Amino acid sequence: MNNKKRKEKPALRQGVSKKTGLTIFTLVMLIMGVIIACYHNPLANQMDELIKKIIACTLIVVAVVAVLKFYDKIILLPFELYQNRRLIWRLAKNDFKRRYAGSYMGAIWAMVQPVVTVAMYYVVFQVIMPQKAQLLGDGIEVPYLVFLTAGLVPWFYFSEALTNGMMALLEYEYLVKKVVFKISILPIIKIIAATFIHGFFVLVLLAIAFLYGFTPSLYTLQIFYYSFCMFALVLAISYTTCSVVIYFRDLQQIVGIGLQIGMWATPVLWQLGTLSKKAQMLVKINPLVYIVEGYRSSIYEKQWFWEDFYSTMYFWIITVVLFCIGALVYKRLKVHFADIM
């Protein structure tokens, strides 16, 4: 009898936890929906504003329905990540060191790569094919090298983290076949390892901006926020790609081609303001636009992230939806990983 009671207590705690989690998530989504519905920008086009509200509220409903229906499957993933947070950090550092093991310069190669990349683009776009300074809406001219680097830094982070996260399960195949190992932590390990390189890339960006007269300010701290945005977005996508690539190896090539196209579809090499308002709305469906433009606003536009209200709400709603999809896909396909690999 006592054993039965002891067994029931964890179940009760789990039930209460589930109820509390569902209540908190639903309330947060509801509050976001109310804020979006009530928010009004007098300078914006009313029709454009209405379309943004409809899209945001639709995504909120999708996220709430998915979490209510598949709560147990979705919540298991973030719980495992939090539970193994120390192991994740240790393995991420080892993964970063292992990448350059055996070379004389070691991890220094990770710092050389961004410097060489920026130098190459400088030669191409400033020496061989000189580009004009980018003129912002408030009349500020931004040297093209600063404009370009501010776009390349987040894009290279996304490209490397997405590719590494997608291949995480295949690279650590020997761990996937171990029953006791939590393989759900493998994608985040690869993404954290890519973040180390991104950190040095950010320092290169700040140095270039400083040389052109854009001194760091409070706005610059937003780079931490936008880096976290990129981390969350890539993590959300990676659980879908790392699961599907085991069954469909051609996904690796498709993602590679998609990244090539995506670099031009995202305002990395060109300015978003050159497009019409309707074209801008279409391009902003891509959540990477929010991050790339955010890096630039942190360096030289002097704009806080909450000032672009709809873009901020849209980004986090779409990230939550993508994470829910990734968690469900991973949970559904996980049982056959060891058999197929």
Side-chain angles (χ1 to χ4, degrees):
M1 185 69 179
N2 291 334
N3 291 336
K4 186 176 180 181
K5 287 182 178 179
R6 278 195 292 267
K7 290 180 180 178
E8 285 177 352
K9 286 183 180 179
L12 275 172
R13 286 197 295 267
Q14 187 176 358
V16 172
S17 178
K18 176 179 179 179
K19 183 178 179 180
T20 304
L22 286 172
T23 302
I24 293 174
F25 181 81
T26 304
L27 284 176
V28 170
M29 291 291 104
L30 181 61
I31 292 172
M32 289 178 64
V34 171
I35 293 174
I36 291 171
C38 297
Y39 179 81
H40 174 64
N41 183 2
L43 302 177
N45 181 280
Q46 292 186 357
M47 182 57 67
D48 293 344
E49 194 170 27
L50 178 61
I51 293 173
K52 292 177 181 178
K53 288 183 178 182
I54 292 173
I55 293 174
C57 290
T58 301
L59 290 172
I60 287 176
V61 172
V62 171
V64 171
V65 171
V67 172
L68 289 175
K69 188 174 182 180
F70 305 104
Y71 178 83
D72 291 328
K73 295 180 180 179
I74 293 174
I75 201 63
L76 180 65
L77 189 55
F79 177 76
E80 287 183 355
L81 296 180
Y82 177 78
Q83 196 175 36
N84 295 277
R85 59 192 182 278
R86 292 186 178 87
L87 177 61
I88 289 172
W89 178 250
R90 188 164 63 250
L91 291 178
K93 291 189 292 185
N94 290 338
D95 183 272
F96 178 74
K97 294 176 182 177
R98 186 170 60 86
R99 185 181 307 184
Y100 303 98
S103 61
Y104 289 107
M105 296 178 63
I108 296 178
W109 284 115
M111 304 176 186
V112 172
Q113 182 183 0
V115 173
V116 172
T117 303
V118 172
M120 179 185 67
Y121 277 97
Y122 173 79
V123 172
V124 173
F125 292 106
Q126 292 289 96
V127 180
I128 300 176
M129 297 183 298
Q131 299 292 318
K132 295 181 180 179
Q134 300 296 302
L135 183 64
L136 303 182
D138 53 5
I140 299 176
E141 283 193 351
V142 179
Y144 186 74
L145 183 61
V146 177
F147 171 86
L148 178 65
T149 308
L152 288 175
V153 167
W155 176 259
F156 285 151
Y157 181 30
F158 173 76
S159 178
E160 181 176 7
L162 180 64
T163 303
N164 293 347
M166 177 179 62
M167 302 305 295
L169 298 182
L170 291 175
E171 183 175 337
Y172 288 98
E173 179 181 350
Y174 63 95
L175 293 177
V176 175
K177 295 181 179 180
K178 286 187 176 181
V179 180
V180 296
F181 189 82
K182 297 292 184 182
I183 62 173
S184 58
I185 70 175
L186 295 177
I188 195 172
I189 288 171
K190 303 297 290 185
I191 296 171
I192 292 176
T195 305
F196 295 147
I197 300 176
H198 174 69
F200 184 76
F201 232 144
V202 169
L203 294 178
V204 173
L205 168 61
L206 295 176
I208 292 174
F210 181 78
L211 291 175
Y212 280 94
F214 297 96
T215 55
S217 64
L218 285 177
Y219 295 95
T220 310
L221 296 176
Q222 292 182 115
I223 289 182
F224 291 103
Y225 163 74
Y226 287 110
S227 295
F228 177 74
C229 288
M230 184 68 84
F231 181 90
L233 178 63
V234 175
L235 184 64
I237 299 173
S238 293
Y239 279 104
T240 298
T241 56
C242 75
S243 302
V244 174
V245 76
I246 294 177
Y247 295 82
F248 183 60
R249 302 299 174 95
D250 291 347
L251 181 63
Q252 183 181 0
Q253 311 304 326
I254 294 173
V255 169
I257 295 173
L259 288 173
Q260 291 179 354
I261 298 173
M263 185 172 182
W264 295 98
T266 307
V268 174
L269 304 176
W270 50 275
Q271 188 176 355
L272 184 63
T274 57
L275 302 178
S276 64
K277 292 294 183 181
K278 291 185 177 180
Q280 287 185 36
M281 283 189 60
L282 185 63
V283 172
K284 284 183 177 181
I285 294 177
N286 177 4
L288 286 173
V289 175
Y290 172 73
I291 300 176
V292 170
E293 291 298 301
Y295 270 72
R296 287 175 175 149
S297 66
S298 301
I299 297 298
Y300 53 74
E301 290 184 355
K302 310 300 182 184
Q303 180 180 358
W304 295 108
F305 68 89
W306 58 77
E307 294 182 42
D308 194 353
F309 175 79
Y310 285 114
S311 295
T312 301
M313 291 293 103
Y314 170 77
F315 174 83
W316 283 112
I317 293 170
I318 199 68
T319 300
V320 170
V321 170
L322 289 173
F323 185 83
C324 291
I325 293 173
L328 292 174
V329 171
Y330 170 80
K331 181 68 175 179
R332 181 66 180 272
L333 300 180
K334 175 185 175 183
V335 292
H336 300 295
F337 285 168
D339 299 329
I340 295 176
M341 296 181 73

